[in-house]
Every structure is written in structure tokens, then in C-alpha cells.
Amino acid sequence: MDRTMQSEYFKKALRLPALPAWLSGAAWMAAGLGILALIWTLVALRLNNPVLLPTPTVVLEGFYQLFADGLLLKDVVASLKRVFIGFLIASAIGVPLAMLLAYFVTLRRLILPVVNLIRPIPPIAWIPIAILWFGIGDKPSFFITAIAAFFPIFLNSFFGGISVEDQHLNAARCLGAKKVSLVVRIMFPSALPMIWTGLKIGLGQSWMAVVTAELIAAQSGLGYMIQVSRLNLETSYVLVGMVTIGVLGSLMALALTSVERYVLPWKQK
Amino acid sequence: MSFIGKRHGLAETPPVAAVAANALALQRLKETRSMPARQLPATRAAQGAIRIENVSVEFKRNGATSIAVKDINIEIAAGEFTALLGPSGCGKSTLLNVIGGMVRPTRGETCIDGMAVREPSATCGVVFQQHSLFPWMTALDNVAFGPRMLGHEAPLAVAREFLAMVGLEKFARAYPAQLSGGMQQRVGIARALAIRPPVLLMDEPFGALDAQTRSIMQEELLKIWSELKTTVVFVTHDVDEAIFLSDRIFVMGNAPGCIKDDIRVGLDRPRTPEVVQSPGYGSLHRRVNRLIREESMKVFNGTVN
């Protein structure tokens, strides 16, 4: 159940500020980032070693170079593609499987132990197998991002599914609903808030995993760029990659949170 | 009128349980689709007769068996408004769930119009105590759910008709969480009735409402029932509520749950809250109250666990 508690936490942490407070929220964020940049600059100047830690301005310069060159965009697109495809595969398998296991007890007894056995294996441990099976490039990365996204999506959906109210199932049966309708029209929507949380966490996990996968099993993408820049002692490019990952990751989380009201209209105040 | 005979034929076929029950509900829905609500009573007067035969329900808890209800025998005529009245823990909700197919009896059988009840089906509309509306659907979609499941051609039109019947057409697009408790129960009643079930089961539907709302809801329910004439089984622990609503009250006793008395309420209809001043009311109330009090005292004194 640690995942569900975690998901509750994320739900709270990711909530957008209310509209009137929007501007003050932005101001606070700018202040926070400003403090971070200030500390970073001070430490970098004190160290006075661009290989260990370049100043933010040097990193910004590196960002501009990579961006103007088109390299950065190419790597971002490569990484995003891997994240989304892996995430889609994980969702397409995780959500329906979770619904089936939540509804059919026999299937649950059969498959849940297997899932629990595979769950503790971290995505990074799958990389050697992924390379053996799929070689180097997109395919092993799809596999790794899918594995990373699968468990939060599946587990949240599953717990959402089994916590469906008996009363809702009985009410639906008394209105003529059969198995398929019970799963699709009752269990699925009643689990949707949890499924949505799972998707948000899954996307984050998948984003983290893509970098890991690209460090080893790819020749493009932000992870690959970080790895190559480290070997070339281009620390500013390493930091460009890291900042880009951070910014894109938060934007994705923000995007999911901002469409939530359309996915879960009954949950809005 | 020719389909009345046809439907009788269907009702007496051997119990193929839920599939047949649903087919029946579907057919009924199709037949009644284009008819105005006021013509309905005449066409479906003979439906919704309930027979409960030697029903016992036992629950196993931590290895120990507890008997919820024992050897219940009841016959309820089609179109009758009956109350299951008793102190908490007497198994009245369990008995209701047996009629609805939500609980399988350990022994005995329940039949509705001659067909054995095996699982929940569209034969019984159910109104639960609270929070049974689907929170992810609007009021309109909640009411349209049943007609939709039964393959109705215009489920939304039916839903609008029934929402209007409970006076909530203006709240069609509201989600349950945006409605008051009383409004939610009205939507629940509309939802249960929208498939025109022969039997309406109500499990303390007004128990969570304040006294004023409850009294208004009771009158409203009687008005709707007098139009649709469906068989109603109404679970309550409120003596006044049972007398005000019912044709017949089954007073239930404790440990194990059983029928202590079967009381006919002869009060005139239509009933208004002034019925409490009518001559028969006082003695009826005293009689029922004494029975209930005996049972409650047993529990209170620990004669039964």
C-alpha cells in the first residue's frame, strides 16, 4: 500500500494553485529559483573549476549553443518519443489488466503473485536483458520506460478497482448491468481517480527511466547526451541535459494536473 | 391488451432466473415505452407478487455461524406496499437483500412472479440508504443507466421523464455530490423506477434525512407509488413511517430474525400527515410499538446477543 500513500502525497503535491493565487504562486516560484541560482553561482565561483561546476551563465550559454545547433531538440524529441511510447504501452496493458484482476478473483490469485515478484526489480536491472533482446536504440528504451511506468499504473488502477463500492455494483446489477458493463461502466470510472494518479506517477517514473536507459542502451536522447558530455568533460552540457530533464518533467506533470478537471469532472468543487 | 395474456405465460415459465427476468424487463420496457405514465397501472397490475418460502440466512464469521433470519414465510401480493419493521439487527435488511438477490439464502427460496430469484436483476429496483448513486455520472445519466443497460432506444428521454416525476428535471446535469441528501434519494428513486421494475425494494431510504425532509419524501413516495402501483418492500425501524406508508407491516423479531406479526394497515388512502389523528391510528401505533419495544428490550437487557 506504500504506493497508494505515495500517490496520495503526489496528488496533493501536484495540485495547481487556485486562479486568484496564480500570480503570487509564480512570484514565489521565481523567488525560489532565484535563490537556487544565487547559491549555485556562489558555489561555482568559490570552486572556480568549470569541470566540477560551471556557473549558471556558462550553462545558459551551453544551452544556447546546443539549441542553436539543433542537437538539443533532436535529443529531446528522441527522449520524449521513448517516454510516450513506453508510457502508452504500460497504460494499455496496466489499466485493463488491473481491471480484470480487480473483477475476476481467480485471475487475481493467478497473476498477482507474479506481478508482486517482478515489481521489486528496478528498471535499471532490466537493461542488460533489454539490450540482449532488442539491441541498441529505441526498442530497449521503449521496454525500459514501459517497465518503469507499468507498476505505478497497474497498482494504483488495481487498488482503485478493488475499492469499488459493493453497493454500486449491486445497484448496477439491479439495473440490468452484466459483467462487461460492470467492469467498463462501474469499476473503471469508480477507479478512475486512482488510475489517473497512477498515470501521473507512471509518466514521471517513465521519464526517469528513459535517462537511465539512454545512458547505456541508446545513441541519442538526453541521457546519451549527458553521458557523452561527461566523457568529454563538458560539464556545462551535462547540466544543460539535467536542467532540461527537470523542466520537461515538471511541465508534463503540470499538463496532466491541468487536464484533470476534464478527466474527473465529478471530483471538482 | 392482448399482451397481458402473453406476459402471464412468460411469468409462469420455469425459473431460468436472471436471464429470463431481464428479457422480461426488456420486453416490459419496450411495451411501455411510448405510453404516458398514467396508463401504466392498468397494464401491469398483475406483476410483482413475491413469495418467500422457508428462507433462512446464516453468516459464517470467524468460524462461528450466526443466523440472520430463520424460517421466513411471506407472501406479498402484486402492487402491495409492505414494510419490514424491526429493531436494528433483526435481519430486515438481510431479508430485503434476499428478495433482491444480493444475498443467497442458506435454505429456502424466493420467487417473484413465479420465478426464483438467483442473483440481482432488473426485476427489482433497489433504493439504498444513501450514497448509492454513481458519483461519476450526472443525475440524468444515473437515471438513464438502467434503460441503457436494458437496450432502451431513448434512455435519456426516459430518464428526463422520471427525473421530472421526482421534481428534479432542473438538476439533470448536476453530479450527486452537488445535490443534497434528499435530492440524492429522489434521484435514487427515479433511477430505480426508470426500468419500471415489478418490485421496488427500499432499504431505510430516508433514514439519513432530517425529519422535515423525510416527511415530505414519504408523501412524495406515496404519490409516485399511487401512479406506478409497483410492489414496494420498505425496510424501516420507524413505527410512524411504517404505518404512514404501508398496506401491511411485517414486524420482525430478534435472534434469530423472524416475523413476529403481520399487521394490515386499514387506513384510507391517499394519506396525508393528518392521518395520525384518524381513529384507527392510535391503537395501531400502540400495538406495533409494543411489539417493537419488546424486541428492543430483549437486546437492551442482553437476553439475546
Side-chain angles (χ1 to χ4, degrees):
Chain A
M1 291 300 283
D2 58 328
R3 294 270 175 174
T4 46
M5 277 166 65
Q6 191 187 357
S7 68
E8 275 307 305
Y9 170 78
F10 271 90
K11 219 169 158 183
K12 281 199 180 107
L14 291 173
R15 191 169 295 157
L16 269 182
L19 208 68
W22 179 80
L23 214 61
S24 83
W28 281 103
M29 188 177 87
L33 291 177
I35 292 170
L36 177 71
L38 188 70
I39 295 173
W40 179 355
T41 311
L42 289 174
V43 174
L45 289 175
R46 181 85 176 81
L47 282 172
N48 198 18
N49 182 344
V51 174
L52 277 185
L53 186 66
T55 58
T57 36
V58 175
V59 173
L60 221 57
E61 213 173 294
F63 180 85
Y64 179 73
Q65 284 165 5
L66 287 175
F67 187 77
D69 196 46
L71 255 163
L72 184 65
L73 205 66
K74 230 179 81 191
D75 283 328
V76 166
V77 169
S79 293
L80 280 178
K81 184 176 125 196
R82 288 167 187 153
V83 168
F84 282 123
I85 291 182
F87 174 73
L88 287 180
I89 293 171
S91 317
I93 299 172
V95 177
L97 186 69
M99 291 300 106
L100 288 178
L101 261 56
Y103 191 82
F104 297 102
V105 179
T106 323
L107 207 61
R108 183 192 310 176
R109 286 184 179 155
L110 189 71
I111 296 180
L112 204 57
V114 181
V115 173
N116 281 330
L117 204 74
I118 300 175
R119 180 160 78 110
I121 305 171
I124 196 168
W126 286 92
I127 290 180
I129 281 283
I131 293 173
L132 285 174
W133 288 353
F134 303 110
I136 299 281
D138 277 343
K139 281 185 194 160
S141 307
F142 296 157
F143 181 73
I144 298 300
T145 49
I147 290 268
F150 175 81
F151 289 100
I153 293 174
F154 170 81
L155 287 170
N156 276 284
S157 308
F158 175 71
F159 285 121
I162 58 172
S163 52
V164 63
E165 305 260 350
D166 275 345
Q167 199 171 244
H168 288 152
L169 290 175
N170 275 333
R173 285 191 186 105
C174 291
L175 294 166
K178 291 285 184 298
K179 275 195 188 78
V180 176
S181 301
L182 288 175
V183 174
V184 175
R185 287 172 182 268
I186 304 299
M187 191 175 258
F188 176 73
S190 104
L192 200 53
M194 291 276 293
I195 294 175
W196 187 248
T197 306
L199 292 178
K200 284 198 281 195
I201 299 172
L203 189 58
Q205 295 286 334
S206 168
W207 189 228
M208 288 182 210
V210 78
V211 178
T212 320
E214 287 168 350
L215 286 175
I216 303 165
Q219 278 164 345
S220 60
L222 289 168
Y224 177 73
M225 188 197 96
I226 289 173
Q227 177 72 347
V228 171
S229 303
R230 180 188 71 86
L231 294 174
N232 295 337
L233 295 182
E234 295 276 8
T235 313
S236 63
Y237 290 172
V238 172
L239 283 163
V240 169
M242 289 172 66
V243 170
T244 310
I245 288 165
V247 170
L248 286 180
S250 353
L251 283 180
M252 269 156 52
L254 204 71
L256 277 186
T257 307
S258 60
V259 296
E260 188 166 299
R261 85 187 77 161
Y262 304 105
V263 182
L264 310 169
W266 69 95
K267 287 278 174 189
Q268 308 310 313
K269 289 274 141 41
Chain B
M1 286 292 145
S2 64
F3 54 76
I4 288 183
K6 198 167 119 206
R7 197 186 294 127
H8 250 290
L10 256 179
E12 281 162 15
T13 47
V16 200
V19 180
N22 265 330
L24 197 69
L26 179 60
Q27 190 202 345
R28 199 164 48 239
L29 200 63
K30 282 181 176 161
E31 283 168 0
T32 54
R33 182 162 37 86
S34 51
M35 277 177 228
R38 306 223 169 244
Q39 282 182 15
L40 284 170
T43 61
R44 47 180 309 288
Q47 282 196 306
I50 303 170
R51 202 177 67 242
I52 301 174
E53 264 175 13
N54 300 318
V55 161
S56 299
V57 179
E58 292 165 8
F59 290 116
K60 283 200 169 66
R61 244 180 246 123
N62 308 326
T65 307
S66 65
I67 304 170
V69 292
K70 198 177 176 207
D71 300 329
I72 305 279
N73 283 287
I74 292 181
E75 283 208 37
I76 297 170
E80 215 169 21
F81 199 124
T82 50
L84 296 179
L85 177 70
S88 49
C90 71
K92 52 193 191 298
S93 288
T94 305
L95 189 56
L96 191 85
N97 288 339
V98 167
I99 300 173
M102 289 161 279
V103 168
R104 293 287 298 270
T106 317
R107 279 181 299 281
E109 194 177 50
T110 308
C111 295
I112 295 175
D113 292 328
M115 291 206 294
V117 175
R118 295 274 153 79
E119 58 181 5
S121 77
T123 313
C124 295
V126 183
V127 181
F128 299 88
Q129 185 162 11
Q130 53 178 338
H131 304 314
S132 83
L133 293 180
F134 307 130
W136 56 89
M137 291 184 198
T138 60
L140 188 69
D141 283 330
N142 262 285
V143 182
F145 185 82
R148 213 167 247 156
M149 287 298 104
L150 297 175
H152 197 286
E153 282 167 26
L156 290 178
V158 178
R160 276 199 197 92
E161 181 192 328
F162 278 87
L163 264 187
M165 189 176 73
V166 296
L168 287 176
E169 61 270 52
K170 284 190 181 140
F171 293 88
R173 298 173 69 97
Y175 286 101
Q178 297 165 324
L179 301 173
S180 72
M183 286 175 172
Q184 288 181 22
Q185 287 309 78
R186 278 147 78 189
V187 176
I189 292 169
R191 182 178 72 174
L193 289 173
I195 56 167
R196 303 191 190 278
V199 175
L200 181 64
L201 304 176
M202 308 184 84
D203 191 358
E204 303 198 38
F206 309 143
L209 305 180
D210 62 83
Q212 288 310 314
T213 314
R214 186 192 302 198
S215 151
I216 295 167
M217 294 283 288
Q218 288 166 355
E219 274 189 86
E220 205 57 39
L221 174 63
L222 283 186
K223 211 183 288 169
I224 293 167
W225 173 71
S226 69
E227 278 184 28
L228 296 180
K229 280 293 176 195
T230 183
T231 310
V232 178
V233 182
F234 191 105
V235 164
T236 181
H237 57 254
D238 182 332
V239 176
D240 291 293
E241 184 168 66
I243 297 176
F244 179 68
L245 293 172
S246 317
D247 296 322
R248 201 172 163 196
I249 300 172
F250 293 104
V251 181
M252 293 188 66
N254 268 314
C258 59
I259 303 292
K260 279 197 78 176
D261 209 346
D262 170 3
I263 296 169
R264 303 265 168 188
V265 181
L267 302 169
D268 290 339
R269 289 187 191 273
R271 289 179 196 160
T272 58
E274 284 74 49
V275 78
V276 292
Q277 284 142 21
S278 67
Y281 191 91
S283 59
L284 197 59
H285 192 277
R286 272 192 298 280
R287 181 177 163 202
V288 175
N289 219 13
R290 196 167 50 237
L291 284 164
I292 293 288
R293 203 176 150 74
E294 272 172 29
E295 287 306 314
S296 303
M297 285 310 280
K298 269 201 243 168
V299 178
F300 191 77
N301 294 331
T303 327
V304 296
N305 45 359

